[in-house]
Amino acid sequence: MNRDKRSLLFVLLAICGAILPMIGQAQEEATPAGPPLALISTVKGTIGPATSRQIGEAIAVAEERNADVLVLRIDTPGGLVTSTRDIVSDILASDVPVAGYVWPGGGHAASAGTYIIYATGIAAMAPGTNLGAATPVSMGGMPGSPQQPGKSSGSGDGEDGKAVPSNEEALSKKATNDAVALIRSLAETHGRNAEWAEEAVREGVSLGAKEAQGTGVIEIVARDLDDLLAQMDGREVVAGTSMKTLRTADARIEHVEPGFMTELLAVIGNPNVAFLLMMIGVYGIIFELSNPGSFGPGILGAICLLLGLYALNQLPLDYAGVALIVLGLVLMAVEAFTPTFGVAGFGGLVSFVFGAAMLIDSDNPEFQISWVTIAGTAAASAALLIFLIGYTLRAMRRPVATGAEELEGAEARVLEWANGEGYVHIHGERWRARGPAELAPQSTVRVERMDGLTLVVS
């Protein structure tokens, strides 16, 4: 009887084990999955350290939330090569599919923006936008630009009669070839038009949305985000090291806003702002050192100096410019503490102007310190130097206020006197004095000189 019960129990358990997975599977099939999640990050303005940080944070958020796609809405004139490389690396390493969308109408993805679009798994544009002009800018002009007929671009002729390229042209050629290799590699990764990409780098050509789609540069032309997500649905894209099928139809849209540090870096990352912060910091510290105990200028100066140095550290610096600025500030500080009648001060001012002009190693106008900023800081420094020199000259002409020299010629009042000696009162003090034999108390005398601790009066 017990054996029959045990057998029945085993049979029931086996039936339950077979039925429960089927029930769970049926419930999974019956319960629809949640709507897809599409995160949006808007990139506007020049590509720089703040943009690189913004996109890196957006990709991290998308991976953390297991988003179905991250859409980068782009409108940029270009930017720094180093920041562009960082962004491309982050996009290629992302496990979440990344789409690039040139938006809004009238916007563009020029220069650095073209590389970013080519790095994304899905490339899209809004009507009325354009991309291209991806030639890297270097010192001396646009590398790869055609020469005028009959004119050699070389610096001289070699033994075989051929033009020998200058060092500047050689560097430009290297930068162009490196950029071509990068954008062709990105085009091949996502199956896009590599020939046009190379032409965009070498010749600086651009394309509108429809033409870009027709030549295989982008995949989608979309009016808005909803249209873009609808057209992306079901496409296979490269995401990290694998292929993924996009599930974006009726996706829930959420925007990823830049963090506080990213917004701060976007403000102080402007070379003019960073430079002014550094100057405020330096002058605040100099004022604190010349007036110990005031605290306020020193604290404000230290904060501004650290913020300015942090921002400048994110930018491509020319270290010769940094050295000239430091030398200029040191010479101006020397003028402030040990006056040299303008020799050190104005030498430091000249060094400072040259250093500021060559501080940022980039031909991108957005990352150059403007001449207005340089002229303003130089004028402020010159005004400070003129004030210091004038103060020094006035101090030298001012009568001596302490010591024996200050007492000579001063008037004193006789307190006690007998036989050519006695005591006089001067500057609130009682002094021993000698002089004429007969002087009456309360009479006024003039100090001629000091003899030790005795005043000689007349």
Side-chain angles (χ1 to χ4, degrees):
M1 194 66 179
N2 290 334
R3 187 170 25 187
D4 292 340
K5 288 181 179 179
R6 285 198 298 271
S7 299
L8 182 59
L9 180 60
F10 287 145
V11 171
L12 291 174
L13 289 174
I15 293 172
C16 289
I19 291 175
L20 285 175
M22 289 189 293
I23 294 173
Q25 184 176 357
Q27 287 180 340
E28 276 185 21
E29 292 175 356
T31 304
L37 174 62
L39 298 183
I40 314 298
S41 181
T42 302
V43 177
K44 291 183 69 69
T46 307
I47 302 296
T51 315
S52 176
R53 186 185 185 100
Q54 175 188 345
I55 293 177
E57 289 177 350
I59 290 174
V61 170
E63 291 178 344
E64 181 182 349
R65 299 190 58 185
N66 196 26
D68 293 273
V69 68
L70 170 64
V71 179
L72 301 178
R73 295 196 301 189
I74 300 173
D75 180 14
T76 176
L80 297 177
V81 173
T82 51
S83 299
T84 304
R85 289 261 182 189
D86 292 340
I87 292 169
V88 167
S89 298
D90 288 342
I91 291 173
L92 294 179
S94 172
D95 291 329
V96 174
V98 180
Y101 181 37
V102 186
W103 175 92
H108 60 162
S111 190
T114 303
Y115 294 87
I116 296 172
I117 289 294
Y118 260 79
T120 57
I122 288 287
M125 297 173 68
T129 58
N130 66 282
L131 83 167
T135 307
V137 179
S138 65
M139 296 300 290
M142 301 285 283
S145 57
Q147 299 293 328
Q148 293 184 7
K151 291 189 178 181
S152 170
S153 63
S155 58
D157 292 336
E159 295 179 359
D160 56 357
K162 294 182 179 179
V164 179
S166 66
N167 184 57
E168 181 180 308
E169 290 172 329
L171 292 175
S172 296
K173 186 175 181 181
K174 287 174 64 176
T176 303
N177 289 338
D178 183 59
V180 166
L182 172 62
I183 203 164
R184 286 191 70 96
S185 175
L186 296 175
E188 291 163 2
T189 299
H190 300 293
R192 299 197 183 110
N193 190 331
E195 286 69 27
W196 180 87
E198 180 172 350
E199 190 178 356
V201 174
R202 294 195 184 278
E203 304 298 333
V205 298
S206 297
L207 283 178
K210 284 294 183 182
E211 192 177 358
Q213 185 182 33
T215 54
V217 173
I218 64 170
E219 289 81 37
I220 296 172
V221 175
R223 299 183 307 276
D224 51 31
L225 278 175
D226 292 333
D227 187 19
L228 173 64
L229 295 175
Q231 292 190 54
M232 283 197 301
D233 189 57
R235 291 176 181 262
E236 283 195 352
V237 297
V238 177
T241 57
S242 61
M243 297 291 295
K244 292 189 178 180
T245 302
L246 294 177
R247 189 172 66 96
T248 57
D250 301 321
R252 186 174 78 257
I253 297 175
E254 293 185 15
H255 292 265
V256 181
E257 300 298 335
F260 171 76
M261 286 304 298
T262 302
E263 292 182 340
L264 176 64
L265 183 58
V267 174
I268 67 175
N270 183 312
N272 295 289
V273 176
F275 183 70
L276 289 174
L277 283 173
M278 185 183 72
M279 294 307 303
I280 292 171
V282 168
Y283 283 123
I285 291 174
I286 289 176
F287 186 86
E288 179 69 35
L289 293 176
S290 61
N291 298 272
S294 52
F295 295 111
I299 294 173
L300 178 63
I303 294 172
C304 290
L305 181 61
L306 290 174
L307 285 174
L309 292 176
Y310 170 74
L312 289 174
N313 185 56
Q314 308 297 314
L315 301 171
L317 298 181
D318 186 314
Y319 290 101
V322 174
L324 284 170
I325 287 178
V326 171
L327 175 62
L329 293 174
V330 168
L331 290 175
M332 286 189 279
V334 168
E335 184 67 43
F337 290 102
T338 56
T340 62
F341 303 100
V343 176
F346 284 103
L349 186 61
V350 172
S351 175
F352 170 80
V353 170
F354 278 106
M358 57 192 295
L359 179 62
I360 306 298
D361 186 18
S362 172
D363 272 356
N364 192 316
E366 297 290 337
F367 289 96
Q368 289 290 337
I369 299 176
S370 73
W371 281 105
V372 173
T373 302
I374 295 174
T377 52
S381 300
L384 180 62
L385 289 174
I386 292 171
F387 169 78
L388 289 174
I389 294 170
Y391 181 81
T392 303
L393 294 175
R394 287 193 299 273
M396 292 184 64
R397 296 193 188 101
R398 192 178 302 141
V400 179
T402 59
E405 292 82 359
E406 187 270 338
L407 289 174
E408 291 178 3
E411 293 184 349
R413 180 168 53 87
V414 176
L415 297 177
E416 302 175 15
W417 200 263
N419 300 321
E421 295 183 350
Y423 293 92
V424 298
H425 184 270
I426 182 172
H427 294 174
E429 299 169 337
R430 177 186 174 95
W431 285 79
R432 179 180 292 277
R434 70 171 186 267
E438 298 297 333
L439 288 177
Q442 303 304 318
S443 61
T444 301
V445 295
R446 184 180 300 278
V447 178
E448 296 293 332
R449 59 187 174 85
M450 283 189 67
D451 182 11
L453 294 177
T454 302
L455 300 179
V456 178
V457 301
S458 61

